[in-house]
Amino acid sequence: MVKIKNLTKRYRNIIAVNNLNLEIKKQEIFGFLGPNGAGKTTTIRILSTLTLPTSGHVYINGYDVVKNPIRVKKEIGVIHQTHNIDPELTGFENLIVHGLLFKMKISEIKRKTEELLELIDLKKDINRPAGKYSGGMRRRLIIARALLHSPNLLIMDEPTTGLDVYTRRKIWRLIKRIRNEGSTVFFTTHYIEEAEYLSDRVGIIDKGKLIALGSPVELINNFGKVAVDIEDFQGPRIEFFNTREDAAKFLSGIDKNAIVRTTNLEDVFIKLTGKRVNPKSDQREQ
Amino acid sequence: MKPLIAIVFREILILKRRFIKQLLSFSVSPLLFLITFGWGLRDKLSIKGLPYVVFILPGLIATSSMRQSFALSTEINISRFYWKTFDEIQSTPITDLSYTMGEVISGMIRGWLATLVIMVISLIFRVVIPINNILFILSVSLNAFIFSSMAIITSMVVKAHADQGMLNNFVITPMAFLCGTFFPLKHYPFWVRQIVYLLPLTHSTRAIRASVLGYPFPYYSLFYMVAFACISFIIAVRVIKKSKD
């Protein structure tokens, strides 16, 4: 569905994306993780044809994003980081304008809107100005808008940022359902549990380079299924082991405070990048 | 064609929401000028044998339609920097040509609304502007087309919303005063006149004034406006294309 070959994007002296190679299969949910400024949004902008690559190629369903951007745009639905809806228009008017931009007939827009309203649970608010919607309602409207023209690939840049836990879970279920109905999903996130729950495969990018690729389970197993948090005079650190027995053997030989637990994707991320996925959650923990 | 219609439809929906506020804001400036020069100075001023209010009315139409068409740049800037809807539209399969044309038509609608407001206000001062005059329609439309295209160019060139205000202060406001809205250009020194003749508003003011007051129509001004409209539209399409860095 998506083929990225030797993709590089430079902004003067800064290399935002550095020789990225990646393939995403049809009906796959692919999570793209990385610290702030790692190159996630630039990659998404290139996939959405909003930014031109400096070198390399990107194909979506066989179409080159540089040579055939209009065709590519018909294949994709994009959910940007921001709540980019027209606040003066009602939810329904936002959808009509979007449908017309995709050359849909009014009757088709109405039919598809009816279908999507069930999915996004906005039926009774659809004729209110979108500027009066809550953050969660806006997000759901944006998802409906991105799905209106039935795209083969849904591209989402941090789809649940700023939403409460309940709405986030609701959107997760929606994303799974979208995939089950035949679409491919490419998304970035700052929430590690989101990536772990949703993704069939995860790619971790740092300083523009892809540094890890695989299913969450594969990535975790590469380091070890068991993690031991150790707190000593050097500060906190994590050691990884393949089995609990190996971890117990290691702990019997040391005299330090330690917690034994299952390794998660965040451990992998921190080990690879030296940073947390969501620096804000770091601040909260401190 | 549908994506172009979508851009215009979106503009019409927004105008519909703001209709009363928009009409009031379109009418404030011309109304003040007409009260000052129409009632305030009444018979004390005349140009070419015409009451001054009659002389400045076509100039006010040119200026007001210019301002309102150019105000499109503020809307595009807000959509780029604040609402981020510009990116959303650019993610859809609309061509740069269709997007630019859609925005230009939206700007022209604003320009024509401003013109219609002045035409209604002018009735208070017993001046009737002939709406059935094809040269008048053509001149106002070209004026709005030019400044809508320029609005797109400037909105893509500025790096922040605040810069847009600077452009209004340094380009649009001086043009409103220098291009023959309030007095004939023959009062200028020769070299100033040459500069002012390069500005599109000078030609639209001349063309609109001639069509309203029944003067011999300056076809060269019409050609100049057509040429300016074509060039500014081509540049507008190119800057939209370039916005994808």
Side-chain angles (χ1 to χ4, degrees):
Chain A
M1 183 72 210
V2 180
K3 243 184 214 173
I4 301 176
K5 280 186 182 173
N6 307 322
L7 179 70
T8 297
K9 178 65 186 178
R10 264 173 211 276
Y11 293 102
R12 294 192 182 163
N13 297 327
I14 299 163
I15 302 178
V17 179
N18 192 355
N19 201 31
L20 180 68
N21 286 286
L22 191 61
E23 277 194 34
I24 297 161
K25 285 169 260 163
K26 199 170 184 325
Q27 252 186 299
E28 184 177 19
I29 300 183
F30 188 87
F32 203 41
L33 299 176
N36 286 334
K40 302 184 298 290
T41 298
T42 304
T43 307
I44 282 208
R45 286 185 67 85
I46 293 171
L47 289 177
S48 327
T49 78
L50 294 175
T51 295
L52 295 172
T54 309
S55 62
H57 297 278
V58 178
Y59 302 95
I60 292 176
N61 222 2
Y63 300 106
D64 189 315
V65 295
V66 177
K67 289 182 187 154
N68 211 342
I70 299 291
R71 192 67 193 79
V72 166
K73 286 171 185 179
K74 287 179 186 167
E75 295 289 323
I76 60 173
V78 186
I79 295 168
H80 296 278
Q81 234 175 68
T82 47
H83 291 168
N84 55 356
I85 44 174
D86 272 311
E88 285 172 280
L89 307 190
T90 64
F92 185 52
E93 287 167 346
N94 268 284
L95 295 177
I96 288 184
V97 169
H98 182 86
L100 288 173
L101 283 164
F102 275 88
K103 299 185 182 176
M104 291 169 74
K105 289 179 185 157
I106 294 283
S107 58
E108 199 186 344
I109 297 171
K110 282 184 179 165
R111 184 186 56 79
K112 201 79 206 294
T113 302
E114 281 296 318
E115 267 177 50
L116 287 166
L117 285 181
E118 294 292 329
L119 195 72
I120 59 166
D121 193 18
L122 270 181
K123 205 159 194 172
K124 64 176 196 292
D125 297 294
I126 200 68
N127 290 317
R128 279 176 60 207
K132 292 185 177 163
Y133 286 8
S134 68
M137 289 163 80
R138 283 177 193 215
R139 212 65 192 150
R140 280 182 277 145
L141 177 65
I142 288 169
I143 292 174
R145 188 179 62 186
L147 293 173
L148 191 71
H149 58 283
S150 312
N152 288 318
L153 171 67
L154 188 63
I155 299 171
M156 304 191 286
D157 197 1
E158 297 181 19
T160 61
T161 297
L163 300 182
D164 60 72
V165 180
Y166 172 75
T167 313
R168 196 184 303 161
R169 300 260 161 180
K170 212 169 179 176
I171 288 175
W172 288 1
R173 284 196 292 274
L174 193 62
I175 292 170
K176 288 256 185 189
R177 193 169 154 184
I178 291 162
R179 189 271 296 277
N180 294 340
E181 284 172 7
S183 293
T184 308
V185 179
F186 180 96
F187 75 104
T188 71
T189 182
H190 271 307
Y191 301 113
I192 203 80
E193 71 278 17
E194 183 166 289
E196 210 166 336
Y197 176 78
L198 287 175
S199 312
D200 297 316
R201 279 193 311 150
V202 167
I204 299 177
I205 186 173
D206 192 24
K207 293 170 189 149
K209 273 188 173 286
L210 190 69
I211 56 171
L213 181 67
S215 72
V217 175
E218 278 168 5
L219 292 180
I220 288 167
N221 288 350
N222 283 346
F223 282 87
K225 290 174 195 161
V226 181
V228 178
D229 292 313
I230 303 163
E231 183 94 45
D232 59 16
F233 64 91
Q234 290 173 317
R237 64 191 164 95
I238 307 170
E239 293 288 340
F240 296 97
F241 300 92
N242 284 329
T243 61
R244 286 200 172 254
E245 289 72 32
D246 291 345
K249 217 179 279 177
F250 168 75
L251 286 171
S252 64
I254 59 167
D255 182 23
K256 286 167 188 163
N257 291 330
I259 297 167
V260 181
R261 58 178 174 80
T262 310
T263 307
N264 59 38
L265 199 55
E266 182 150 19
D267 299 321
V268 175
F269 186 89
I270 294 170
K271 189 80 180 167
L272 287 169
T273 65
K275 295 162 196 150
R276 280 191 179 274
V277 191
N278 185 358
K280 278 180 193 163
S281 69
D282 247 4
Q283 286 161 13
R284 277 200 298 273
E285 280 163 22
Q286 285 161 11
Chain B
M1 196 67 178
K2 262 187 192 161
L4 187 153
I5 292 168
I7 300 294
V8 180
F9 180 60
R10 173 177 169 267
E11 172 69 15
I12 290 170
L13 287 172
I14 291 172
L15 276 177
K16 195 181 98 186
R17 289 273 133 69
R18 303 179 190 162
F19 196 65
I20 301 294
K21 270 192 271 179
Q22 204 85 341
L23 281 190
L24 288 173
S25 90
F26 286 171
S27 54
V28 171
S29 169
L31 191 62
L32 286 175
F33 276 116
L34 290 173
I35 288 171
T36 310
F37 298 116
W39 286 336
L41 294 174
R42 198 165 293 195
D43 305 327
K44 293 186 178 61
L45 269 178
S46 68
I47 289 183
K48 292 180 180 175
L50 291 169
Y52 188 56
V53 67
V54 177
F55 178 82
I56 63 162
L57 247 170
L60 286 179
I61 289 176
T63 309
S64 199
S65 61
M66 168 192 74
R67 275 188 189 283
Q68 297 312 327
S69 303
F70 194 77
L72 182 69
S73 58
T74 307
E75 296 296 326
I76 297 176
N77 267 322
I78 291 171
S79 81
R80 265 183 85 200
F81 299 120
Y82 194 62
W83 298 122
K84 309 276 184 190
T85 45
F86 179 76
D87 271 358
E88 153 56 21
I89 293 170
Q90 293 302 315
S91 309
T92 65
I94 185 169
T95 61
D96 298 325
L97 183 69
S98 291
Y99 174 76
T100 311
M101 188 49 99
E103 288 292 7
V104 166
I105 293 172
S106 303
M108 288 172 75
I109 292 171
R110 285 163 180 266
W112 263 106
L113 267 179
T115 302
L116 292 173
V117 166
I118 298 181
M119 289 169 79
V120 171
I121 292 172
S122 67
L123 294 176
I124 303 168
F125 300 89
R126 292 176 191 170
V127 183
V128 179
I129 294 165
I131 186 72
N132 57 351
N133 184 334
I134 189 77
L135 289 171
F136 172 74
I137 294 169
L138 200 58
S139 305
V140 172
S141 300
L142 274 170
N143 188 42
F145 188 101
I146 288 170
F147 287 100
S148 302
S149 302
M150 287 176 68
I152 294 170
I153 298 168
T154 55
S155 65
M156 290 295 130
V157 171
V158 297
K159 298 277 180 240
H161 184 49
D163 298 343
Q164 191 65 49
M166 298 249 292
L167 271 169
N168 288 343
N169 286 340
F170 288 110
V171 181
I172 295 301
T173 305
M175 250 203 276
F177 282 90
L178 298 176
C179 293
T181 310
F182 300 106
F183 49 86
L185 297 177
K186 65 180 181 188
H187 295 174
Y188 280 131
F190 176 76
W191 65 273
V192 177
R193 225 180 308 155
Q194 303 314 304
I195 296 169
V196 167
Y197 267 120
L198 294 173
L199 303 172
L201 187 67
T202 305
H203 295 277
S204 37
T205 305
R206 285 171 69 90
I208 292 169
R209 182 165 286 140
S211 63
V212 170
L213 302 181
Y215 294 164
F217 191 77
Y219 283 99
Y220 63 89
S221 283
L222 195 71
F223 292 133
Y224 187 88
M225 286 161 73
V226 169
F228 208 100
C230 291
I231 292 167
S232 52
F233 183 74
I234 291 166
I235 297 172
V237 176
R238 288 183 75 96
V239 293
I240 291 295
K241 201 180 190 76
K242 256 198 118 187
S243 69
K244 299 169 195 85
D245 42 70

